[in-house]
Amino acid sequence: MMAAAARFLIRGANPKLSISGGGTLLKLSPSCSSRTKTQRRHAAHFTYHPDPVPTQYGPTTKMNLFQSVTSALDNTLASDPTAVIFGEDVAFGGVFRCTVGLRDKYGKDRVFNTPLCEQGIVGFGIGVAVAGATAIAEIQFADYIYPAFDQIVNEAAKYRYRSGNLFDCGNLTIRAPWGCVGHGSLYHSQSPEAFFAHCPGIKVVIPRGPVQAKGLLLSCIADQNPCIFFEPKILYRAAVEQVPVESYTIPLSQAEVLQEGSDITMVAWGTQIHVMREVANMAQEKLGVSCEVIDLQTILPWDVETICKSVVKTGRLLISHEAPITGGFAAEISSTVQEECFLNLEAPISRVCGYDTPFPHIFEPFYIPDKWKCFEAIKKMINY
Amino acid sequence: MNNMYRVCFHAARQAAGLKASRLLQHRAFRASAMHRQQPFDSSLEKPQFPGASAEFVDQLEFIQPNVISGIPVYRVMDRQGNIINPSQDPELSKETVLNFYQKMTLLNTMDRILYESQRQGRISFYMTNYGEEGTHIGSAAALDPSDLVFGQYREAGVLMYRGFPLDLFMAQCYANADDLGKGRQMPVHYGSKDLNFVTISSPLATQIPQAVGSAYAIKRENANRAVICYFGEGAASEGDAHAGFNFSATLECPLIFFCRNNGYAISTPTNEQYRGDGIAARGPGYGMMSIRVDGNDVFAVYNATKEARRRAVAENQPFLIEAMTYRIGHHSTSDDSSAYRSVDEVNYWDKQDHPISRLRHYMTARNWWSEDDERSWRKQSRKMVMEVFERAERRLKPNPELLFTDVYQEMTPNLNKQRESLWRHVQQYKEHYPVDLYDK
């Protein structure tokens, strides 16, 4: 696909890589400030809140999100001799560096490049899993997962059901970088989880940081159902935590209450969790409103109970995601909560999401459901 | 975009410290050294592009599309069942050949009865295998029973050859309580874990890249197994076919692609399906061994599959077999092929060039099969099929609980909730639901 452009973007963001000759070509006139206007686009729309250091899984080490993914894959390759990892450019370490060192450590028959073809990658992965081996497929960007839509929706999701449990591809995990990145434009920014949420038979999981990413990814790999694991690519380097070195799992289909509160429930996943945490602080400071922040973590099958229990307590619900609002997963949560908690609601459920447009390049600061939009939604709900 | 790609590719090379970039530097050094020593001779230049090994030419000439054309059709028997070249005779025992014949004709009998039953409204749908029996039995016989089969939907003979009982064929078509697939799919979507036959799914060609993945996993097990993947010439137009061919070649998988080129994809004839010389001609483009065989010659199919299977496992590489045949039946019970092809055309294949009659000629010439044998076998096979057919029809449908299981390995809270809600509803409105037809 058109990943070449993104590779450029990603590499451009890595100060360790110099592009030969580039330094002398770009000469700025004296009137051009070294702090150019376009640099501002790199300013993140959130402040990363690291998780506390986990104590229950043994020794930890400092890792960013892509390193915690590598660590999970490393644990899997070490413990499961059938496990194979494949996709576009994974052999040399992947365009996001998630598979660095794994080919050299485990061999080129276990960590390998495939031809550039997403439907092939997923179809191949299904076949590996059907034969009983563990398949970990990488789609280079979630935006490029659509050629594999048929293999995921019609094949992976239905394999067990249609064969009466004779055959399944539960050993398949599909990883894909996901979500906005500040400069990714239409095709390096998408959050396609809602497309897959309409598909019984698969699980869809999105972590908020390195510790969660490793535990949830290892759960996806161990889970006996095909899983899609979306990795917030803006966090690959930005999110750094103390991550356990050994293997551990975090249960799927369980939301996590990150901050307890009494006035409003805020539900999100992935990067948006960090926006929500900041908004919760703003709401407390500026409005005296107590927010309960919940990370849904698994989009499908999702944890209805935790969300509804919280809404029964707070009476208000704000859901926020980057994907377009119409038909987004917030709509599903909203509908279910309305059915389950109708009499507990003090205000209409509020969704703060992306607009119903493609992901717009230079307009990203206006498009994303940032803290000010979420803050405003809280004000409205409290004053309803 | 091009520039960007080059720049970042270069960066990637640097980052990874690949040997390739050193090699390129070395070549550059050599070229410039040569330049200094003697007058420049352009004929000595060789292309260095990483993407192809080739020579330079100085004439503008496009490659003709027919550079591969008229790939010959390998056969062992002529249409009268005579062995053409004795060196190609697989010299199968009488017992084996009779088994081939009985499986081909039993398949034919089952097709007739199930086709009729659909016409009478007893089952919802059916697809016959008429005319393609040779491709099924010849290929199935050449495989090891442990080899994994990925079928499309018109390969019932492969499953029959492996020993799938008539009862289970019928149970699947009737979606009754004995169906291994738990009544979830339309007729002809068979599958058997015990017989290494992956359950059929309706979407075309999706099985092709999957077969490659399984072959890769099997190769890593080092268990002397292969994978065979069946599909039609129509399915070969799907993107998944391209994906599967390319992946299998680059990832070196012990796999046999078996294309049944039966002339039609529903109504679309081959000349509207592709240009170029059929499916076999695509093999070289993928760097894959390929052959075209007469699919109505069960021995030719057998020989080609057997050798492809042997070499696929020994050499870890894919093979493409294009078996030329003819779909004598309609595409399915939802199709009437008289709308797009002539009765004469169909009659030719049915009467003059049928895989079953060709094998029968072969058997008759050896006095292995008489008119009496034929009559009594036809009668016996019909009786066998009718008995299981009647049993299957009487059997209850599967327990409706099975509507909700196997979506996930485990029952999820929302599915439990939906299941309970369905039961409450059905209790309340019993008279509107066919509960008595289902197992409890």
Side-chain angles (χ1 to χ4, degrees), chain A residues 257-280:
Chain A
V257 180
L258 296 176
Q259 176 183 321
E260 293 196 6
S262 54
D263 299 328
I264 183 163
T265 301
M266 298 163 76
V267 174
W269 48 90
T271 318
Q272 199 62 12
I273 282 296
H274 305 289
V275 176
M276 289 302 210
R277 288 184 127 166
E278 196 174 348
V279 172

Side-chain angles (χ1 to χ4, degrees), chain B residues 31 37 55 111 165 169 195 222 239 242 300-301 342 401 424 429 431:
Chain B
Q37 284 166 8
E55 295 296 316
D111 275 352
F169 279 110
L195 299 175
N222 220 354
H242 161 68
V301 173
S342 73
E401 286 278 328
R424 278 196 303 277
Y429 290 87
E431 66 277 22

Side-chain angles (χ1 to χ4, degrees), chain A residues 157 160-161 200-202 225, chain B residues 403-410 415:
Chain A
R160 187 188 297 278
Y161 189 81
I202 52 173
N225 299 286
Chain B
L403 161 59
F404 294 101
T405 59
D406 302 330
V407 178
Y408 293 95
Q409 190 202 29
E410 65 281 1
L415 283 173

Side-chain angles (χ1 to χ4, degrees), chain A residues 79-224:
Chain A
S79 65
D80 176 356
T82 74
V84 289
I85 296 175
F86 49 89
E88 292 156 17
D89 306 299
V90 305
F92 91 109
V95 297
F96 287 106
R97 315 313 291 147
C98 292
T99 51
V100 167
L102 298 178
R103 175 191 53 183
D104 293 342
K105 193 167 174 186
Y106 296 101
K108 61 183 170 47
D109 68 319
R110 301 191 65 192
V111 181
F112 51 92
N113 290 339
T114 65
L116 209 165
C117 179
E118 288 75 14
Q119 66 196 94
I121 292 168
V122 174
F124 179 89
I126 292 170
V128 168
V130 167
T134 299
I136 304 166
E138 177 177 307
I139 299 295
Q140 202 161 65
F141 285 84
D143 311 61
Y144 303 134
I145 205 166
Y146 307 116
F149 201 70
D150 187 44
Q151 285 287 355
I152 296 170
V153 171
N154 267 335
E155 295 292 317
K158 297 171 174 57
Y159 233 95
R160 187 188 297 278
Y161 189 81
R162 75 186 185 204
S163 70
N165 204 23
L166 295 179
F167 297 93
D168 69 82
C169 60
N171 289 336
L172 170 67
T173 303
I174 302 164
R175 299 175 37 245
W178 164 99
C180 80
V181 68
H183 52 286
S185 182
L186 287 83
Y187 301 115
H188 300 90
S189 306
Q190 294 177 40
S191 310
E193 63 271 19
F195 288 113
F196 299 101
H198 201 57
C199 181
I202 52 173
K203 296 190 176 180
V204 182
V205 179
I206 307 171
R208 67 170 180 274
V211 172
Q212 301 298 310
K214 180 169 175 180
L216 289 169
L217 177 54
L218 285 167
S219 287
C220 285
I221 293 169
D223 193 88
Q224 283 306 296

